[in-house]
Each structure stands twice: as C-alpha cells, then as structure tokens.
Amino acid sequence: EGMPQTLSSTSMFTPCGFSPHLHTSKEDEQGGLIFQDGNLTSASLDALIQHLIPTTDYYPEKAYIFTFLLSSRLFIEPHELLSRVCHKCIEQQRLDDPVLDKARIRKFGPKILQLLTEWTETFPYDFQEERMIGHLKDMIHRIAPCDEAYWKKMNQLLQTLNQKLATLSHGQEGIVKISAAVSDKLVAFKSKPPSIQREILSVCSDPYTLAQQLTHVELERLSHIGPEEFVQAFVHKDPLDGTKTCFSEQKKTSNLEAYVKWFNRLCYLVATEICMPAKKKQRAQVIEFFIDVARECFNIGNFNSLMAIISGMNMSPVSRLKKTWSKVKTAKFFILEHQMDPTGNFYNYRTALRGAAHRSLTAHSNREKIVIPFFSLLIKDIYFLNEGCANRLPNGHVNFEKFLELAKQVGEFITWKQVECPFEQDPNIIHYLHTAPIFTEDGLYLASYESESPENQTEKDRWKSLRSTILGKT
C-alpha cells in the first residue's frame, strides 16, 4: 500500500529496483506494450520490434529508436533484427505485390529511409557485416521503383556509411600502438650517463600544453567507441535463447578495451617519470609539473586524464618517496585528490561532472563543450545497472524501463564523444605519450628504492630480490 508509482533513478541501482508488482497499470491493448505513467516499461520482444517499424502514418520517437537499437542486441543480433524489420515492412506495405501501390509507398519510403539512416549513423559498426548491407539494399531496391530519389538516397547513405567506417578503421590503425611496459633494465640507465630515457619535461615543459595534448588523445580514442560496446561488454546468455549467447564469435568491445589500456598506461607513465630522475629536486619538480597538468585537465573537463595522473601519483612506489614529497607544495595536490575522492560513491567527482555537463549544454565554444568522464567509473555504473536488474521480467517481457536508464547514460556519453578537439595537435608530444618507455610495477619499486633507500626490513628484502632479478646484481 502507498507504493510509489514512479521509480526514481536512484532505485535503478538497487538490486532489482523493478519489482514487477509495482506495475499495476493495465496492458495497453495495442500490441502488448505496457505503459506506466505514459512511459513504456515493458513488452515482448516482438511488440518492441513492431514498435520500431514505421508505417505510412507512424514513425517511432528518436529516443525509442536509440534505446531499442542499443539494448536489442542483448536479445537478438543486429542482422537478425534488421532482417525481421525488413520482412515485416515487406508484409505490411505489400512490397511483394506484382503491382505496387505507389502513392502508399511514397508515404512509407521516406520513413524507412530515415530509420535506416539513423541506424547507420548511430551504430555504424553493425554494418561491417555484409548481411546488414544486404538487407539494407534489398529494402531500398523494393521501394525504389516508386521514386527515382530513393536510389540517390541509398547511394548517399552507403557513401556516408563507408566513409564513416573507413575513418573509424583507419583511426584504429592510426592510433600509435601503445608500447607495453618496457624491460625494467632501463633502471640501470639511471647510473649510466648519458641517459637514453628522454623525460617528459624535455618534450613538453608547459603543463597547459600537456593537458591539451592529453585531451587530444582522449577525444581521439573516445571517438572510436561505439555505443553498443557498453552493452556487448556485459552480454550474458539470454535465457529465452537456449544455449548460444549473442555475439558468441567475439566480444565486440576492442575500442573500449583499448581506451582502458590507455588509462593504465598514463598512470604508469606518470609514476615512471617521477621515479626516474636521480635527484630529489628533479623528482619534486616532475611531481609539481604533473599536479599542474592535472589541475588544467580538471579545468578543461578532462576527468579521465586527471584521474590517471592522480592514480599514478598515488601508486606506492611514488607515495613512499617521503623526502621527495617534502619538497613539493602539496596544497594543490590535496585539492585535486579531494575532487576525485571515492567516498560517497565519488560524490565530489559526480558533482564536478554534472557541472561540466551543464557547462557543455550551454557552451558557446568547443572548448567549453569538453566533457571526458572518468571512464572506468562510467563502465562500473553501467555494469551495476546491468547486474542490478533483470533484462526480462518473470513473464518473459523485456524490461524496457531498465534500458531507458541505460540509454540515458550511454546517450550522454555519445554526445560528449562527438566534441571536436579545439586544441592544436602536437605530434611530437602525442607520440611521446604513446611510446615513451614505462616500467612495470617491479621496475617502479626498484627505481623508487634506488631513489630513496628502503625504510624497513620488508622493503630491504624486496629491494634485494628486485636488484638480483632485474639488474642481475647481488
């Protein structure tokens, strides 16, 4: 009794915040879609597919198209969905009839073209599959006899799609391959002048410039992530689907994974740059430099680089350098740490992110539009949303309410990733960020002990074993 009828977005994160008994409303008789307070909350997969299909006098809402195309892949592969859409259109518009009803098809044509255009624009990776292109062409070939313009439309659509896919795959190859952690033997160079290792300050000594170049890298990498990767990262078997999982061939999440790798690399790069210099004064200088870079990242709205820099500074090999830190003006660092403090489910960061998102909405320049979220937290939120609520309700219906929330989070991300980077690119700095040698964790510890001697027996033992395994010294 007195149960709330609408679910607040916070209940999205309580396990199964959607108890089906909240939905006391009657089924909407039109094709089994269930609405609650005017919002579509659940339906059978068939009803949802039907709801996607345009007719002469109906076109689905943009938000519905995005939400359904994003989430449907948990239940049905894109090529199968498109096949069913086309099949139903052929049936409903009688496109198999020997004589076509031209007047009717001229009303329907622009709508199906619009749907196919939206699909190719938002989920271009779906169309890397021949079968997808096949369905698309077949559909347009059927309506084309009724209007010359449809051919032109199809060619435009395919051309735009091919360009987009080419840019995306070229971009993926074009990103300098991140070099993995280099052999820790580099530590040995510390004692051998001249050092082969260039350090960040010789490549870029201005924190503002470095923050801008980091923003370049972030936006470049973000631009390759398809919205569907967030869903495909968590694909489980669909209980109504027997044994095969959708997308069993491979998880199509390579851009998402590459982006997480970049974050880890930046953490280790920061730690390496701090532990490398032989002199305490230089190490302190590098720390202060990165604090300024991080501050500028915060001002720009680049929270992902900001978090990577703070994480790098908080790694044990760096934080144990007490003598070095005593030379650093740490007030600025504590302010940044406070911003990214995980307490209260990252309350401070989420507040700052909302501020940046708001600024982005009212922005006059590309610079004010930049919002680069702390990526692993975004993935974690989506993961909990996914784990916390079932994809299907006990009656087998698709839990559409869950997917509206998912689409809200992914949709916001899509807006952010489309921002053009306003800063001029410096290939030299960007190359360094991707290829400069970084230490593994062991290498960092060794460099750290070489810089400031171990403080206790545990550290002494570890130093000794690292010296023998890495440097071959006893």
Short mmCIF file of all heavy atoms in Angstrom, two decimals, residues 305-368:
data_model
loop_
_atom_site.label_atom_id
_atom_site.label_comp_id
_atom_site.label_asym_id
_atom_site.label_seq_id
_atom_site.Cartn_x
_atom_site.Cartn_y
_atom_site.Cartn_z
N SER A 305 41.98 11.82 -17.84
CA SER A 305 43.43 12.04 -17.65
C SER A 305 43.72 12.48 -16.22
O SER A 305 44.71 12.07 -15.63
CB SER A 305 43.94 13.12 -18.62
OG SER A 305 43.87 12.68 -19.96
N LEU A 306 42.85 13.33 -15.69
CA LEU A 306 43.02 13.80 -14.32
C LEU A 306 43.12 12.62 -13.36
O LEU A 306 44.04 12.53 -12.53
CB LEU A 306 41.83 14.70 -13.94
CG LEU A 306 41.61 15.00 -12.45
CD1 LEU A 306 42.74 15.85 -11.89
CD2 LEU A 306 40.28 15.71 -12.22
N MET A 307 42.19 11.67 -13.50
CA MET A 307 42.17 10.52 -12.60
C MET A 307 43.39 9.63 -12.80
O MET A 307 43.94 9.09 -11.85
CB MET A 307 40.89 9.73 -12.82
CG MET A 307 40.58 8.78 -11.70
SD MET A 307 40.50 9.65 -10.11
CE MET A 307 39.70 8.44 -9.11
N ALA A 308 43.84 9.50 -14.05
CA ALA A 308 45.01 8.67 -14.33
C ALA A 308 46.25 9.28 -13.68
O ALA A 308 47.09 8.58 -13.10
CB ALA A 308 45.22 8.53 -15.84
N ILE A 309 46.37 10.62 -13.76
CA ILE A 309 47.54 11.29 -13.17
C ILE A 309 47.54 11.13 -11.65
O ILE A 309 48.55 10.78 -11.03
CB ILE A 309 47.57 12.79 -13.56
CG1 ILE A 309 47.80 12.92 -15.08
CG2 ILE A 309 48.67 13.53 -12.80
CD1 ILE A 309 47.62 14.34 -15.63
N ILE A 310 46.36 11.34 -11.04
CA ILE A 310 46.27 11.19 -9.58
C ILE A 310 46.57 9.74 -9.18
O ILE A 310 47.29 9.49 -8.22
CB ILE A 310 44.87 11.62 -9.07
CG1 ILE A 310 44.71 13.13 -9.24
CG2 ILE A 310 44.67 11.24 -7.62
CD1 ILE A 310 43.34 13.65 -8.91
N SER A 311 46.04 8.78 -9.95
CA SER A 311 46.29 7.36 -9.64
C SER A 311 47.78 7.05 -9.73
O SER A 311 48.32 6.31 -8.92
CB SER A 311 45.53 6.44 -10.60
OG SER A 311 44.17 6.78 -10.61
N GLY A 312 48.43 7.60 -10.75
CA GLY A 312 49.88 7.38 -10.90
C GLY A 312 50.66 7.93 -9.71
O GLY A 312 51.59 7.29 -9.21
N MET A 313 50.25 9.11 -9.23
CA MET A 313 50.94 9.72 -8.09
C MET A 313 50.67 8.97 -6.80
O MET A 313 51.44 9.05 -5.85
CB MET A 313 50.50 11.16 -7.92
CG MET A 313 50.99 12.06 -9.01
SD MET A 313 50.37 13.70 -8.68
CE MET A 313 51.44 14.64 -9.69
N ASN A 314 49.53 8.27 -6.75
CA ASN A 314 49.19 7.54 -5.54
C ASN A 314 49.71 6.11 -5.52
O ASN A 314 49.48 5.37 -4.57
CB ASN A 314 47.66 7.52 -5.34
CG ASN A 314 47.18 8.83 -4.75
OD1 ASN A 314 47.89 9.47 -3.98
ND2 ASN A 314 45.98 9.24 -5.11
N MET A 315 50.41 5.69 -6.59
CA MET A 315 50.97 4.33 -6.58
C MET A 315 52.05 4.25 -5.49
O MET A 315 52.80 5.21 -5.29
CB MET A 315 51.56 3.98 -7.95
CG MET A 315 50.49 3.70 -8.99
SD MET A 315 51.20 3.43 -10.63
CE MET A 315 51.67 1.72 -10.51
N SER A 316 52.12 3.12 -4.82
CA SER A 316 53.05 3.01 -3.68
C SER A 316 54.48 3.42 -3.98
O SER A 316 55.11 4.11 -3.18
CB SER A 316 53.05 1.60 -3.11
OG SER A 316 51.74 1.17 -2.93
N PRO A 317 55.06 3.00 -5.14
CA PRO A 317 56.44 3.39 -5.39
C PRO A 317 56.62 4.91 -5.40
O PRO A 317 57.71 5.41 -5.09
CB PRO A 317 56.74 2.81 -6.78
CG PRO A 317 55.77 1.71 -6.95
CD PRO A 317 54.54 2.13 -6.21
N VAL A 318 55.56 5.65 -5.74
CA VAL A 318 55.66 7.11 -5.76
C VAL A 318 55.35 7.69 -4.38
O VAL A 318 56.07 8.54 -3.86
CB VAL A 318 54.67 7.72 -6.80
CG1 VAL A 318 54.73 9.24 -6.77
CG2 VAL A 318 55.00 7.20 -8.20
N SER A 319 54.29 7.18 -3.75
CA SER A 319 53.88 7.80 -2.49
C SER A 319 54.87 7.53 -1.35
O SER A 319 54.91 8.27 -0.38
CB SER A 319 52.47 7.34 -2.10
OG SER A 319 52.45 5.94 -1.96
N ARG A 320 55.71 6.50 -1.51
CA ARG A 320 56.68 6.21 -0.43
C ARG A 320 57.88 7.16 -0.47
O ARG A 320 58.70 7.15 0.44
CB ARG A 320 57.16 4.75 -0.51
CG ARG A 320 58.01 4.40 -1.70
CD ARG A 320 58.70 3.04 -1.59
NE ARG A 320 59.76 3.04 -0.59
CZ ARG A 320 60.98 3.53 -0.79
NH1 ARG A 320 61.30 4.09 -1.95
NH2 ARG A 320 61.88 3.49 0.17
N LEU A 321 58.01 7.97 -1.53
CA LEU A 321 59.17 8.86 -1.64
C LEU A 321 59.00 10.09 -0.73
O LEU A 321 58.80 11.21 -1.19
CB LEU A 321 59.35 9.32 -3.10
CG LEU A 321 59.60 8.21 -4.13
CD1 LEU A 321 59.52 8.75 -5.55
CD2 LEU A 321 60.96 7.54 -3.89
N LYS A 322 59.08 9.85 0.58
CA LYS A 322 58.79 10.90 1.58
C LYS A 322 59.68 12.15 1.40
O LYS A 322 59.21 13.27 1.45
CB LYS A 322 58.98 10.36 3.00
CG LYS A 322 58.17 9.11 3.33
CD LYS A 322 56.75 9.45 3.74
CE LYS A 322 56.02 8.21 4.26
NZ LYS A 322 55.84 7.17 3.22
N LYS A 323 60.99 11.92 1.17
CA LYS A 323 61.91 13.06 1.08
C LYS A 323 61.57 13.91 -0.14
O LYS A 323 61.66 15.15 -0.11
CB LYS A 323 63.36 12.58 0.99
CG LYS A 323 63.84 11.88 2.25
CD LYS A 323 65.28 11.40 2.10
CE LYS A 323 65.74 10.65 3.35
NZ LYS A 323 66.25 9.30 3.00
N THR A 324 61.20 13.23 -1.22
CA THR A 324 60.82 13.95 -2.44
C THR A 324 59.57 14.78 -2.18
O THR A 324 59.52 15.98 -2.48
CB THR A 324 60.55 12.95 -3.59
OG1 THR A 324 61.72 12.14 -3.77
CG2 THR A 324 60.22 13.67 -4.87
N TRP A 325 58.55 14.14 -1.60
CA TRP A 325 57.28 14.84 -1.36
C TRP A 325 57.45 16.03 -0.41
O TRP A 325 56.71 17.01 -0.49
CB TRP A 325 56.21 13.87 -0.82
CG TRP A 325 55.57 13.05 -1.91
CD1 TRP A 325 55.92 11.79 -2.30
CD2 TRP A 325 54.48 13.44 -2.76
NE1 TRP A 325 55.12 11.37 -3.34
CE2 TRP A 325 54.22 12.35 -3.64
CE3 TRP A 325 53.70 14.58 -2.87
CZ2 TRP A 325 53.21 12.38 -4.61
CZ3 TRP A 325 52.68 14.61 -3.83
CH2 TRP A 325 52.45 13.53 -4.70
N SER A 326 58.45 15.93 0.49
CA SER A 326 58.63 17.03 1.46
C SER A 326 59.06 18.31 0.74
O SER A 326 58.92 19.41 1.26
CB SER A 326 59.66 16.65 2.51
OG SER A 326 60.95 16.64 1.91
N LYS A 327 59.57 18.17 -0.50
CA LYS A 327 59.99 19.33 -1.27
C LYS A 327 58.87 19.89 -2.17
O LYS A 327 59.07 20.86 -2.89
CB LYS A 327 61.17 18.94 -2.19
CG LYS A 327 62.43 18.53 -1.46
CD LYS A 327 63.54 19.54 -1.73
CE LYS A 327 64.72 19.38 -0.80
NZ LYS A 327 64.47 19.84 0.57
N VAL A 328 57.70 19.22 -2.14
CA VAL A 328 56.60 19.59 -3.05
C VAL A 328 55.58 20.46 -2.33
O VAL A 328 55.25 20.21 -1.18
CB VAL A 328 55.90 18.30 -3.57
CG1 VAL A 328 54.65 18.63 -4.37
CG2 VAL A 328 56.86 17.46 -4.40
N LYS A 329 55.07 21.49 -3.03
CA LYS A 329 53.94 22.25 -2.47
C LYS A 329 52.70 21.41 -2.72
O LYS A 329 52.17 21.34 -3.83
CB LYS A 329 53.80 23.60 -3.20
CG LYS A 329 55.04 24.46 -3.15
CD LYS A 329 54.76 25.82 -3.80
CE LYS A 329 56.03 26.60 -4.08
NZ LYS A 329 56.84 26.01 -5.20
N THR A 330 52.24 20.75 -1.65
CA THR A 330 51.21 19.72 -1.86
C THR A 330 49.77 20.25 -1.77
O THR A 330 48.83 19.51 -2.09
CB THR A 330 51.36 18.58 -0.84
OG1 THR A 330 51.55 19.17 0.44
CG2 THR A 330 52.52 17.70 -1.18
N ALA A 331 49.57 21.49 -1.37
CA ALA A 331 48.20 22.00 -1.19
C ALA A 331 47.34 21.77 -2.44
O ALA A 331 46.22 21.28 -2.36
CB ALA A 331 48.22 23.47 -0.83
N LYS A 332 47.92 22.07 -3.61
CA LYS A 332 47.17 21.92 -4.88
C LYS A 332 46.80 20.46 -5.13
O LYS A 332 45.74 20.16 -5.64
CB LYS A 332 48.01 22.44 -6.06
CG LYS A 332 48.23 23.95 -6.04
CD LYS A 332 48.81 24.46 -7.35
CE LYS A 332 50.30 24.18 -7.50
NZ LYS A 332 50.91 24.93 -8.63
N PHE A 333 47.75 19.58 -4.73
CA PHE A 333 47.51 18.16 -4.95
C PHE A 333 46.33 17.68 -4.10
O PHE A 333 45.46 16.94 -4.58
CB PHE A 333 48.77 17.35 -4.63
CG PHE A 333 48.60 15.87 -4.86
CD1 PHE A 333 48.30 15.38 -6.13
CD2 PHE A 333 48.75 14.94 -3.82
CE1 PHE A 333 48.15 14.02 -6.36
CE2 PHE A 333 48.61 13.59 -4.06
CZ PHE A 333 48.30 13.13 -5.32
N PHE A 334 46.27 18.13 -2.84
CA PHE A 334 45.19 17.69 -1.96
C PHE A 334 43.83 18.16 -2.47
O PHE A 334 42.84 17.44 -2.34
CB PHE A 334 45.44 18.15 -0.52
CG PHE A 334 46.65 17.51 0.10
CD1 PHE A 334 47.53 18.24 0.89
CD2 PHE A 334 46.94 16.17 -0.13
CE1 PHE A 334 48.67 17.64 1.43
CE2 PHE A 334 48.07 15.56 0.41
CZ PHE A 334 48.94 16.30 1.20
N ILE A 335 43.79 19.34 -3.07
CA ILE A 335 42.53 19.84 -3.62
C ILE A 335 42.05 18.89 -4.73
O ILE A 335 40.88 18.51 -4.78
CB ILE A 335 42.69 21.28 -4.18
CG1 ILE A 335 42.96 22.24 -3.02
CG2 ILE A 335 41.45 21.70 -4.96
CD1 ILE A 335 43.39 23.64 -3.45
N LEU A 336 42.97 18.49 -5.59
CA LEU A 336 42.61 17.59 -6.69
C LEU A 336 42.19 16.22 -6.17
O LEU A 336 41.21 15.63 -6.63
CB LEU A 336 43.80 17.40 -7.63
CG LEU A 336 44.16 18.60 -8.50
CD1 LEU A 336 45.46 18.34 -9.23
CD2 LEU A 336 43.06 18.89 -9.51
N GLU A 337 42.95 15.73 -5.19
CA GLU A 337 42.61 14.42 -4.62
C GLU A 337 41.22 14.45 -4.03
O GLU A 337 40.46 13.50 -4.15
CB GLU A 337 43.62 14.08 -3.51
CG GLU A 337 44.72 13.18 -3.98
CD GLU A 337 45.35 12.44 -2.81
OE1 GLU A 337 45.53 13.05 -1.75
OE2 GLU A 337 45.66 11.26 -2.97
N HIS A 338 40.90 15.57 -3.39
CA HIS A 338 39.60 15.73 -2.77
C HIS A 338 38.50 15.66 -3.84
O HIS A 338 37.45 15.05 -3.64
CB HIS A 338 39.56 17.07 -2.03
CG HIS A 338 38.22 17.39 -1.43
ND1 HIS A 338 37.72 16.69 -0.37
CD2 HIS A 338 37.30 18.32 -1.76
CE1 HIS A 338 36.52 17.17 -0.06
NE2 HIS A 338 36.24 18.17 -0.89
N GLN A 339 38.77 16.25 -5.00
CA GLN A 339 37.79 16.24 -6.11
C GLN A 339 37.51 14.81 -6.57
O GLN A 339 36.41 14.49 -6.98
CB GLN A 339 38.33 17.04 -7.31
CG GLN A 339 38.24 18.53 -7.17
CD GLN A 339 36.81 19.04 -7.06
OE1 GLN A 339 35.85 18.33 -7.34
NE2 GLN A 339 36.68 20.28 -6.62
N MET A 340 38.56 13.98 -6.55
CA MET A 340 38.42 12.62 -7.08
C MET A 340 38.29 11.57 -5.96
O MET A 340 38.47 10.38 -6.20
CB MET A 340 39.61 12.28 -7.99
CG MET A 340 39.78 13.24 -9.15
SD MET A 340 38.28 13.55 -10.10
CE MET A 340 38.39 12.32 -11.37
N ASP A 341 37.99 12.03 -4.77
CA ASP A 341 37.86 11.15 -3.62
C ASP A 341 36.71 10.14 -3.83
O ASP A 341 35.60 10.55 -4.15
CB ASP A 341 37.60 12.04 -2.40
CG ASP A 341 37.43 11.25 -1.12
OD1 ASP A 341 37.64 10.02 -1.16
OD2 ASP A 341 37.07 11.85 -0.09
N PRO A 342 36.99 8.84 -3.66
CA PRO A 342 35.94 7.85 -3.93
C PRO A 342 34.80 7.81 -2.90
O PRO A 342 33.79 7.16 -3.14
CB PRO A 342 36.68 6.52 -3.93
CG PRO A 342 37.99 6.77 -3.28
CD PRO A 342 38.30 8.23 -3.39
N THR A 343 34.97 8.51 -1.78
CA THR A 343 33.91 8.44 -0.75
C THR A 343 32.55 8.84 -1.30
O THR A 343 32.45 9.68 -2.18
CB THR A 343 34.21 9.39 0.44
OG1 THR A 343 35.56 9.80 0.35
CG2 THR A 343 33.98 8.73 1.78
N GLY A 344 31.50 8.23 -0.71
CA GLY A 344 30.14 8.55 -1.12
C GLY A 344 29.93 8.27 -2.59
O GLY A 344 29.29 9.05 -3.29
N ASN A 345 30.49 7.13 -3.05
CA ASN A 345 30.37 6.76 -4.46
C ASN A 345 30.82 7.91 -5.36
O ASN A 345 30.11 8.34 -6.27
CB ASN A 345 28.93 6.34 -4.78
CG ASN A 345 28.82 5.67 -6.13
OD1 ASN A 345 29.82 5.37 -6.77
ND2 ASN A 345 27.60 5.46 -6.58
N PHE A 346 32.02 8.43 -5.07
CA PHE A 346 32.62 9.53 -5.85
C PHE A 346 31.72 10.76 -5.91
O PHE A 346 31.54 11.36 -6.96
CB PHE A 346 32.94 9.05 -7.28
CG PHE A 346 34.12 8.13 -7.37
CD1 PHE A 346 33.95 6.76 -7.28
CD2 PHE A 346 35.40 8.63 -7.54
CE1 PHE A 346 35.04 5.90 -7.35
CE2 PHE A 346 36.50 7.78 -7.62
CZ PHE A 346 36.32 6.42 -7.52
N TYR A 347 31.17 11.13 -4.75
CA TYR A 347 30.22 12.24 -4.71
C TYR A 347 30.80 13.54 -5.30
O TYR A 347 30.18 14.20 -6.12
CB TYR A 347 29.73 12.47 -3.28
CG TYR A 347 28.77 13.62 -3.18
CD1 TYR A 347 27.43 13.45 -3.53
CD2 TYR A 347 29.19 14.89 -2.79
CE1 TYR A 347 26.53 14.51 -3.47
CE2 TYR A 347 28.31 15.96 -2.73
CZ TYR A 347 26.97 15.76 -3.07
OH TYR A 347 26.10 16.80 -3.04
N ASN A 348 32.02 13.90 -4.88
CA ASN A 348 32.62 15.16 -5.34
C ASN A 348 32.83 15.16 -6.86
O ASN A 348 32.55 16.14 -7.54
CB ASN A 348 33.98 15.41 -4.67
CG ASN A 348 33.82 15.57 -3.17
OD1 ASN A 348 32.72 15.75 -2.67
ND2 ASN A 348 34.93 15.50 -2.45
N TYR A 349 33.36 14.03 -7.35
CA TYR A 349 33.58 13.93 -8.79
C TYR A 349 32.27 14.03 -9.56
O TYR A 349 32.16 14.74 -10.55
CB TYR A 349 34.30 12.63 -9.14
CG TYR A 349 34.09 12.21 -10.58
CD1 TYR A 349 34.66 12.94 -11.63
CD2 TYR A 349 33.29 11.12 -10.90
CE1 TYR A 349 34.45 12.58 -12.96
CE2 TYR A 349 33.07 10.75 -12.23
CZ TYR A 349 33.64 11.49 -13.25
OH TYR A 349 33.43 11.14 -14.56
N ARG A 350 31.25 13.33 -9.07
CA ARG A 350 29.96 13.33 -9.79
C ARG A 350 29.38 14.74 -9.84
O ARG A 350 28.75 15.13 -10.82
CB ARG A 350 28.99 12.34 -9.15
CG ARG A 350 29.39 10.88 -9.40
CD ARG A 350 28.40 9.91 -8.74
NE ARG A 350 28.90 8.54 -8.72
CZ ARG A 350 28.79 7.68 -9.73
NH1 ARG A 350 28.24 8.07 -10.86
NH2 ARG A 350 29.25 6.45 -9.62
N THR A 351 29.59 15.48 -8.75
CA THR A 351 29.12 16.87 -8.73
C THR A 351 29.88 17.69 -9.78
O THR A 351 29.28 18.46 -10.54
CB THR A 351 29.33 17.48 -7.33
OG1 THR A 351 28.77 16.59 -6.36
CG2 THR A 351 28.64 18.83 -7.21
N ALA A 352 31.20 17.52 -9.83
CA ALA A 352 32.01 18.25 -10.81
C ALA A 352 31.61 17.85 -12.24
O ALA A 352 31.54 18.70 -13.14
CB ALA A 352 33.49 17.96 -10.58
N LEU A 353 31.33 16.56 -12.43
CA LEU A 353 30.94 16.07 -13.77
C LEU A 353 29.62 16.71 -14.20
O LEU A 353 29.48 17.16 -15.33
CB LEU A 353 30.81 14.55 -13.75
CG LEU A 353 30.40 13.89 -15.07
CD1 LEU A 353 31.52 14.01 -16.11
CD2 LEU A 353 30.04 12.42 -14.88
N ARG A 354 28.65 16.76 -13.27
CA ARG A 354 27.37 17.40 -13.59
C ARG A 354 27.59 18.86 -13.97
O ARG A 354 26.96 19.37 -14.90
CB ARG A 354 26.40 17.32 -12.41
CG ARG A 354 25.90 15.94 -12.06
CD ARG A 354 24.58 15.55 -12.76
NE ARG A 354 24.68 15.47 -14.22
CZ ARG A 354 25.15 14.43 -14.90
NH1 ARG A 354 25.59 13.36 -14.27
NH2 ARG A 354 25.19 14.43 -16.22
N GLY A 355 28.50 19.52 -13.25
CA GLY A 355 28.81 20.91 -13.57
C GLY A 355 29.37 21.05 -14.98
O GLY A 355 28.95 21.92 -15.75
N ALA A 356 30.30 20.16 -15.32
CA ALA A 356 30.91 20.20 -16.65
C ALA A 356 29.87 19.88 -17.72
O ALA A 356 29.85 20.49 -18.79
CB ALA A 356 32.06 19.20 -16.73
N ALA A 357 28.98 18.93 -17.42
CA ALA A 357 27.94 18.54 -18.38
C ALA A 357 27.00 19.71 -18.61
O ALA A 357 26.56 19.98 -19.74
CB ALA A 357 27.16 17.34 -17.86
N HIS A 358 26.71 20.44 -17.54
CA HIS A 358 25.82 21.60 -17.66
C HIS A 358 26.49 22.69 -18.50
O HIS A 358 25.88 23.28 -19.38
CB HIS A 358 25.46 22.12 -16.27
CG HIS A 358 24.52 23.28 -16.30
ND1 HIS A 358 23.20 23.14 -16.65
CD2 HIS A 358 24.73 24.61 -16.10
CE1 HIS A 358 22.61 24.34 -16.65
NE2 HIS A 358 23.52 25.24 -16.31
N ARG A 359 27.76 22.92 -18.22
CA ARG A 359 28.53 23.92 -18.98
C ARG A 359 28.53 23.55 -20.46
O ARG A 359 28.42 24.40 -21.34
CB ARG A 359 29.97 23.96 -18.44
CG ARG A 359 30.93 24.79 -19.29
CD ARG A 359 32.35 24.76 -18.76
NE ARG A 359 33.04 23.52 -19.10
CZ ARG A 359 34.31 23.27 -18.75
NH1 ARG A 359 35.00 24.15 -18.05
NH2 ARG A 359 34.87 22.13 -19.09
N SER A 360 28.66 22.25 -20.71
CA SER A 360 28.71 21.76 -22.08
C SER A 360 27.42 22.06 -22.84
O SER A 360 27.43 22.41 -24.02
CB SER A 360 28.97 20.25 -22.06
OG SER A 360 29.02 19.74 -23.36
N LEU A 361 26.29 21.94 -22.14
CA LEU A 361 24.99 22.18 -22.78
C LEU A 361 24.81 23.63 -23.20
O LEU A 361 24.16 23.93 -24.20
CB LEU A 361 23.85 21.79 -21.82
CG LEU A 361 23.63 20.29 -21.61
CD1 LEU A 361 22.60 20.05 -20.52
CD2 LEU A 361 23.19 19.62 -22.92
N THR A 362 25.38 24.54 -22.40
CA THR A 362 25.18 25.96 -22.69
C THR A 362 26.40 26.58 -23.38
O THR A 362 26.51 27.79 -23.49
CB THR A 362 24.93 26.72 -21.37
OG1 THR A 362 26.05 26.46 -20.49
CG2 THR A 362 23.67 26.24 -20.69
N ALA A 363 27.31 25.70 -23.85
CA ALA A 363 28.61 26.16 -24.35
C ALA A 363 28.50 27.01 -25.62
O ALA A 363 27.63 26.78 -26.45
CB ALA A 363 29.51 24.98 -24.63
N HIS A 364 29.40 27.99 -25.74
CA HIS A 364 29.49 28.78 -26.96
C HIS A 364 30.66 28.34 -27.81
O HIS A 364 30.72 28.62 -28.99
CB HIS A 364 29.63 30.27 -26.61
CG HIS A 364 28.44 30.79 -25.87
ND1 HIS A 364 27.18 30.82 -26.43
CD2 HIS A 364 28.31 31.28 -24.61
CE1 HIS A 364 26.32 31.31 -25.54
NE2 HIS A 364 26.99 31.59 -24.43
N SER A 365 31.63 27.69 -27.18
CA SER A 365 32.83 27.27 -27.93
C SER A 365 33.06 25.79 -27.69
O SER A 365 32.57 25.23 -26.72
CB SER A 365 34.05 28.04 -27.41
OG SER A 365 34.32 27.62 -26.09
N ASN A 366 33.84 25.17 -28.60
CA ASN A 366 34.16 23.75 -28.43
C ASN A 366 34.90 23.51 -27.13
O ASN A 366 34.78 22.47 -26.52
CB ASN A 366 35.01 23.27 -29.61
CG ASN A 366 34.13 22.72 -30.71
OD1 ASN A 366 32.94 22.52 -30.50
ND2 ASN A 366 34.71 22.49 -31.87
N ARG A 367 35.69 24.49 -26.73
CA ARG A 367 36.47 24.32 -25.51
C ARG A 367 35.56 24.11 -24.31
O ARG A 367 35.86 23.31 -23.42
CB ARG A 367 37.36 25.55 -25.30
CG ARG A 367 38.19 25.32 -24.08
CD ARG A 367 39.26 26.27 -23.74
NE ARG A 367 39.75 25.80 -22.44
CZ ARG A 367 41.00 25.77 -22.09
NH1 ARG A 367 41.92 26.15 -22.93
NH2 ARG A 367 41.36 25.35 -20.91
N GLU A 368 34.44 24.83 -24.28
CA GLU A 368 33.51 24.71 -23.13
C GLU A 368 32.66 23.45 -23.23
O GLU A 368 31.98 23.08 -22.28
CB GLU A 368 32.59 25.93 -23.07
CG GLU A 368 33.30 27.23 -22.78
CD GLU A 368 32.36 28.43 -22.94
OE1 GLU A 368 31.67 28.52 -23.98
OE2 GLU A 368 32.33 29.27 -22.03
#
